[in-house]
C-alpha cells in the first residue's frame, strides 16, 4: 500500500488546490503525490450507463421498445466518431490511474463537487472499478484554503451520503429510460429523421411553444380611460406618477379613472362630463405605511434569472462564470438551490461585509451597514449548500463579465443584510362630473436596502388633501389602450417557469416552497436550455426564446402527451428530492418510471398517423438519390444518409404543396405574400435554397435605385 489517502477531485484545477494544502506537490501521470497523499481528478462523468447497443440492441426498431435494462451496465464515457460511439481514450487512461490509486491507498477522500452530480461522479467510478477501499466525504461550500483545511479536519463518513447517491442514480436512470425510449419511439413513428425527447427537455420545450402560441394567437382588445388634473399645493415631480410641475404653477396632479371602458362611447360620455365640470371633490384619502422586506440572497437560479434580465447573460454563461469565480475562491459553491444561510454562517457575515469596505464599488455602502438583518437566516431552509456569498478574497484581474457576476453577488449580500425599506403611501380618490378617478403617491421614510443600487424611481408626494376638499379642475383627457399578450419567454422567465413547474407565482415565499416541484435542478436547468438550442428546437432573438419550425412541429405532436406534462415532470423531481431525504425508496421510484416509460413509448409509437406522408415523386435536390416525402409540417428526403428537411412553416406562413414543389424543382418559389417579420410586420419574398440547401429569403428588387436582390436566412 503506497498511500495513506487518495483524494479524488472533480477537476484538475480543484485537485491542484487541495494537493497544495495537503502537501502533495510531486507531479505524476494523472495525479499529484506527497506527504502520504495521492490527489487525482475526474473530468466530470468518467463513467456512464451504456447505450442500447451495450445490451445487444442495435438500431431503432419498434419490436425492441420499451428498452428497460434489468440492471444498468456502466462503461467509460464515449465520444462520437464517424464509425459511431467509441470509448474516449483519455477517459479510459484516467480511469486506470484512479483505479490503481484507489487500490494502493488505505482510504479514499471524495472531493468531487458537494452535490448530487458530484456524488454520482464518484459512486459510478467506484462501482465500475469494483473498489472496496473505504471512503470519507469532503463536504465544503467554498475552495478557500480555510474551507479546505476545515473540511479535511471534519471529514464525513461516506455512507452518510448514500441517499444522495440513490437520488442521483435514480435521476440518471430515469433520464436514460425516458430519453432513449422517447427518442426512439417518436423517431420510429415519424419514419424519417431523428427527434430527441427527454424527461425534462420536452416539458421545457412545451412551455416555450405554448407561450409562443399564446402570444401569436392573442387578439388585442381596446380599452379607454379618462383623466383630469387638479392643482396641488406644493412643488413635486414624479414622472409618470400622475404629478408634475407646470412651470411656475403649483404642482399639477393627474388622476385616472378607476374604470376601464371596453367601448369608446361610454368613455367619451365620461370625458364630456369631465369637460363640463369645474371642480372635483376628494371622496377618499388612504394613508398607510408599507414595509418592503430585504431581498433574499441569491441561489443559482435567481442569479441566472437576474443576470439574464439585467445583463443579457444566458443561463449557461452565468453558471460558467459562477463556477470560475468559485474555483478562484471568490464565491461559495454556486450550484445551490437555497436562498438562506444557517446561524453559524451568519456569525461570519459582519467580517465578510467588512471586506467590502475597501472596495471602490461597494466601500461607501458597506460602511453604512450596522447590525446585519436576519431575513436570509434560516437553518431549516438549507439544501445541500447555503445561499451564494462572497468569500472575502479580493478579486483580481477579472474580466468585465466575471466582475459583473461577482458584483451581483456582493451587491445582493449588501441588500440582504441592510435595513428594510419603509414608505408612506397615499391613495387619493376624487369625483369630477360623476366620474371616479384616483392617484397614488409615496414618500420614502427609510430607503434601507434600496440605497445599494440607488435604482428607486422618483416618488410623488401628494398634497395634504382631505376627504371633502373641493378643488379646481384644470384639464382633462381621454386615452385609448390595448390589452397585451404575454411576451415570449426569455431565459429569465423560462428559468422561473422551470422552478415552479410552469405555475406563475409572484410571491417569493410561495415560489421557494414549490422548488421541489420544479423541473430540473439549479445545476441542470442551464444545460437543458442549451440542449434545446443544440437540437434546433428554439433560437434566441435578442433576449427572447422563439421555437423553430422543427420545435413547433415536435410540439404539435407531443403537446397533449404525458412526456410533455410539466406537472408530472415536477412530481418526478419532488420524488427525487424525497429519495435524497430518505422518505421514498429508490426502487419504488424506479418501478414507477418503468411504468411511465412503457406508457409514453406506446403513446408515441401510436402517433405515426400524425407523421403521415405521401411520396412527392421528386428527387431530392441535395443527394440526387432519395425521394422527397411530404409530411404535415415538413418535406423530407427518404435517404437516411441525407434526410434533407424543408420545413413548411417559415416566418409564420405555411407553404402549400405547390409552393414546396416549385422550391424542389426550380430551387425557388414565386413571389409569396403572408410572411411576418420578428417585429410583427407583414412582408413578401421568394423562398430559395442556398448553396447548403438551407431555405433563405430573396427579396424583390426595389422600384427605385435598381438594387440587386438581397438575401437573408
Amino acid at each position: 500500500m503506497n498511500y495513506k489517502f487518495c483524494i479524488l477531485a472533480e477537476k484538475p484545477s480543484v485537485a491542484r488546490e487541495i494537493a497544495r494544502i495537503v502537501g502533495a506537490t510531486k507531479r505524476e501521470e494523472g495525479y499529484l503525490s506527497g506527504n502520504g497523499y495521492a490527489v487525482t481528478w475526474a473530468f466530470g462523468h468518467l463513467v456512464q450507463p451504456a447505450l442500447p447497443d451495450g445490451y445487444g440492441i442495435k438500431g431503432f426498431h419498434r419490436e425492441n421498445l420499451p428498452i428497460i435494462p434489468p440492471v444498468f451496465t456502466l462503461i467509460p464515457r464515449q465520444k462520437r466518431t464517424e464509425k459511431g460511439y467509441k470509448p474516449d481514450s483519455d477517459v479510459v487512461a484516467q480511469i486506470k490511474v484512479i483505479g490503481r490509486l484507489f487500490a494502493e491507498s488505505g482510504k479514499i477522500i471524495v472531493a468531487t463537487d458537494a452535490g448530487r452530480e458530484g456524488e454520482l461522479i464518484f459512486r459510478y467510478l467506484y462501482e465500475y472499478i469494483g473498489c472496496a477501499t473505504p471512503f470519507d466525504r469532503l463536504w465544503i461550500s467554498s475552495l478557500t484554503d480555510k474551507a479546505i483545511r476545515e473540511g479535511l479536519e471534519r471529514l464525513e463518513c461516506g455512507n452518510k451520503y448514500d441517499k444522495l447517491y440513490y437520488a442521483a442514480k435514480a435521476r440518471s436512470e430515469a433520464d436514460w429510460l425516458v430519453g432513449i425510449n422517447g427518442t426512439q419511439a417518436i423517431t420510429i413513428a415519424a419514419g424519417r429523421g431523428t427527434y430527441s425527447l427527454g424527461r425534462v427537455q420536452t416539458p421545457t420545450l412545451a412551455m416555450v411553444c405554448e407561450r409562443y402560441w399564446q402570444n401569436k394567437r392573442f387578439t388585442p382588445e381596446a380599452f379607454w380611460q379618462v383623466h383630469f388634473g387638479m392643482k396641488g399645493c406644493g412643488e413635486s415631480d414624479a414622472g409618470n406618477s400622475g404629478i408634475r410641475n407646470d412651470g411656475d404653477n403649483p404642482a399639477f396632479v393627474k388622476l385616472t379613472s378607476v374604470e376601464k371602458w371596453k367601448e369608446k362611447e361610454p368613455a367619451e360620455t365620461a370625458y364630456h362630463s369631465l369637460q363640463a365640470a369645474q371642480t372635483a371633490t376628494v371622496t377618499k384619502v388612504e394613508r398607510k405605511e408599507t414595509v418592503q422586506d430585504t431581498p433574499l440572497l441569491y441561489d443559482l437560479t435567481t442569479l441566472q434569472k437576474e443576470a439574464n434580465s439585467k445583463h443579457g447573460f444566458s443561463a449557461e454563461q452565468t453558471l460558467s462564470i459562477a463556477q470560475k469565480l468559485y474555483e478562484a475562491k471568490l464565491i461559495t459553491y454556486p450550484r445551490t438551490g437555497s436562498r438562506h444561510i444557517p446561524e453559524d454562517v451568519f456569525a461570519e457575515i459582519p467580517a465578510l461585509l467588512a471586506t467590502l469596505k475597501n472596495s471602490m464599488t461597494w466601500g461607501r455602502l458597506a460602511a453604512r451597514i450596522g447590525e446585519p438583518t436576519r431575513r436570509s437566516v434560516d437553518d431549516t431552509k438549507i439544501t445541500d449548500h447555503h445561499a451564494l456569498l462572497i468569500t472575502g478574497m479580493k478579486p483580481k484581474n477579472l474580466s468585465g463579465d466575471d466582475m459583473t457576476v461577482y458584483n451581483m453577488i456582493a451587491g445582493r449580500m449588501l441588500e440582504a443584510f441592510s435595513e428594510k425599506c419603509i414608505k408612506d403611501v397615499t391613495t387619493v380618490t376624487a369625483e369630477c362630473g360623476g366620474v371616479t378617478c384616483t392617484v397614488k403617491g409615496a414618500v420614502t421614510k427609510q430607503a434601507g436596502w434600496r440605497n445599494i443600487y440607488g435604482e428607486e424611481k422618483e416618488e410623488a408626494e401628494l398634497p395634504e388633501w382631505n376627504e371633502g376638499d373641493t378643488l379646481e379642475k384644470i384639464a382633462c383627457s381621454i386615452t385609448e389602450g390595448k390589452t397585451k399578450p404575454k411576451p415570449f419567454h426569455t431565459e429569465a422567465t423560462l428559468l422561473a417557469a422551470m422552478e415552479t413547474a410552469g405555475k406563475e407565482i409572484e410571491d417569493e415565499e410561495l415560489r421557494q416552497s414549490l422548488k421541489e416541484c420544479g423541473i430540473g435542478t439549479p445545476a441542470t436547468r442551464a444545460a437543458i436550455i442549451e440542449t434545446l438550442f443544440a437540437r434546433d428546437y428554439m433560437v434566441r432573438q435578442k433576449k427572447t426564446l422563439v421555437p423553430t419550425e422543427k420545435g413547433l412541429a415536435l410540439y404539435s405532436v407531443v403537446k397533449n402527451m404525458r412526456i410533455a406534462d410539466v406537472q408530472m415532470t415536477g412530481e418526478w423531481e419532488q420524488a427525487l428530492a424525497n429519495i435524497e431525504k430518505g422518505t421514498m425508496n429508490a426502487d419504488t421510484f424506479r418501478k414507477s418510471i418503468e411504468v411511465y416509460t412503457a406508457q409514453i413509448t406506446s403513446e408515441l409509437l401510436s402517433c405515426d398517423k400524425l407523421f403521415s406522408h405521401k411520396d412527392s415523386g421528386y428527387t431530392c435536390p441535395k443527394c440526387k438519390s432519395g425521394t422527397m416525402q411530404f409530411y404535415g409540417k415538413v418535406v423530407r428526403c427518404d435517404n437516411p444518409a441525407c434526410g434533407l428537411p424543408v420545413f413548411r412553416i417559415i416566418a409564420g406562413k405555411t407553404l402549400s404543396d405547390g409552393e414546396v414543389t416549385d422550391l424542389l424543382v426550380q430551387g425557388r418559389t414565386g413571389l409569396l405574400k403572408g410572411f411576418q417579420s420578428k417585429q410583427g410586420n407583414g412582408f413578401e419574398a421568394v423562398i430559395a435554397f442556398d448553396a447548403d440547401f438551407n431555405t433563405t429569403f430573396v427579396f424583390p428588387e426595389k422600384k427605385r435605385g435598381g438594387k440587386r436582390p438581397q438575401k437573408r436566412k
Side-chain angles (χ1 to χ4, degrees), residues 270-336:
Y271 173 63
H272 293 317
S273 297
L274 291 181
Q275 282 184 311
Q278 300 297 313
T279 61
T281 301
V282 177
T283 57
K284 189 176 183 181
V285 178
E286 287 183 303
R287 295 184 177 93
K288 63 179 181 179
E289 181 181 270
T290 63
V291 177
Q292 297 177 346
D293 271 326
T294 58
L296 294 170
L297 293 163
Y298 282 131
D299 63 359
L300 175 60
T301 300
T302 311
L303 177 69
Q304 288 170 315
K305 287 190 294 188
E306 294 196 12
N308 179 253
S309 59
K310 293 179 179 179
H311 305 291
F313 293 174
S314 71
E316 181 67 26
Q317 182 183 6
T318 302
L319 174 57
S320 175
I321 292 171
Q323 183 69 23
K324 192 191 306 183
L325 294 174
Y326 168 67
E327 292 176 17
K329 308 180 185 181
L330 294 173
I331 66 169
T332 57
Y333 187 66
R335 289 174 167 83
T336 175

Side-chain angles (χ1 to χ4, degrees), residues 135-428:
F135 60 90
D136 286 339
R137 191 57 160 101
L138 175 69
W139 195 268
I140 54 178
S141 286
S142 79
L143 288 175
T144 61
D145 290 5
K146 178 174 179 285
I148 293 171
R149 288 194 176 98
E150 288 179 352
L152 289 168
E153 288 172 4
R154 48 176 173 75
L155 293 170
E156 307 270 13
C157 182
N159 63 16
K160 178 181 176 181
Y161 296 94
D162 284 352
K163 291 190 290 289
L164 182 65
Y165 163 57
Y166 298 150
K169 184 170 182 280
R171 192 279 312 156
S172 172
E173 293 177 357
D175 284 352
W176 192 102
L177 288 167
V178 175
I180 293 292
N181 286 286
T183 295
Q184 290 206 11
I186 196 167
T187 300
I188 290 167
R192 288 290 182 270
T194 301
Y195 292 86
S196 169
L197 297 181
R199 182 180 63 87
V200 181
Q201 168 192 320
T202 305
T204 303
L205 173 64
M207 290 192 292
V208 173
C209 293
E210 183 180 6
R211 177 63 64 85
Y212 172 85
W213 285 124
Q214 283 176 349
N215 181 282
K216 287 293 185 182
R217 292 167 177 165
F218 181 81
T219 302
E221 294 181 356
F223 65 87
W224 287 263
Q225 285 183 287
V226 296
H227 321 269
F228 71 86
M230 300 189 296
K231 286 183 180 179
C233 54
E235 298 292 324
S236 184
D237 184 6
N240 295 324
S241 65
I243 303 178
R244 75 167 196 269
N245 276 336
D246 201 5
D248 296 326
N249 296 323
F252 174 84
V253 184
K254 177 183 174 183
L255 290 84
T256 298
S257 61
V258 173
E259 187 166 358
K260 291 181 179 180
W261 290 274
K262 293 184 178 180
E263 302 292 336
K264 188 174 184 180
E265 186 176 346
E268 288 183 328
T269 300
Y271 173 63
H272 293 317
S273 297
L274 291 181
Q275 282 184 311
Q278 300 297 313
T279 61
T281 301
V282 177
T283 57
K284 189 176 183 181
V285 178
E286 287 183 303
R287 295 184 177 93
K288 63 179 181 179
E289 181 181 270
T290 63
V291 177
Q292 297 177 346
D293 271 326
T294 58
L296 294 170
L297 293 163
Y298 282 131
D299 63 359
L300 175 60
T301 300
T302 311
L303 177 69
Q304 288 170 315
K305 287 190 294 188
E306 294 196 12
N308 179 253
S309 59
K310 293 179 179 179
H311 305 291
F313 293 174
S314 71
E316 181 67 26
Q317 182 183 6
T318 302
L319 174 57
S320 175
I321 292 171
Q323 183 69 23
K324 192 191 306 183
L325 294 174
Y326 168 67
E327 292 176 17
K329 308 180 185 181
L330 294 173
I331 66 169
T332 57
Y333 187 66
R335 289 174 167 83
T336 175
S338 176
R339 300 190 66 184
H340 294 81
I341 58 172
E343 289 286 348
D344 61 336
V345 174
F346 180 64
E348 302 174 12
I349 293 301
L352 282 179
L353 294 176
T355 65
L356 292 172
K357 290 181 180 178
N358 296 322
S359 163
M360 292 280 291
T361 304
W362 304 114
R364 179 178 57 84
L365 295 163
R368 289 183 183 178
I369 296 179
E371 184 177 346
T373 53
R374 299 178 56 86
R375 183 167 183 248
S376 292
V377 184
D378 191 335
D379 287 74
T380 67
K381 294 182 179 177
I382 310 302
T383 53
D384 291 343
H385 295 276
H386 58 65
L388 276 162
L389 299 171
I390 62 167
T391 62
M393 300 282 287
K394 187 175 181 180
K396 296 178 181 178
N397 304 318
L398 293 183
S399 70
D401 289 350
D402 293 358
M403 197 69 208
T404 294
V405 173
Y406 177 83
N407 277 330
M408 286 182 68
I409 296 167
R412 176 49 57 90
M413 278 183 61
L414 291 173
E415 288 181 316
F417 297 114
S418 294
E419 295 179 313
K420 298 175 180 179
C421 176
I422 303 174
K423 298 181 180 184
D424 280 335
V425 178
T426 302
T427 304
V428 174

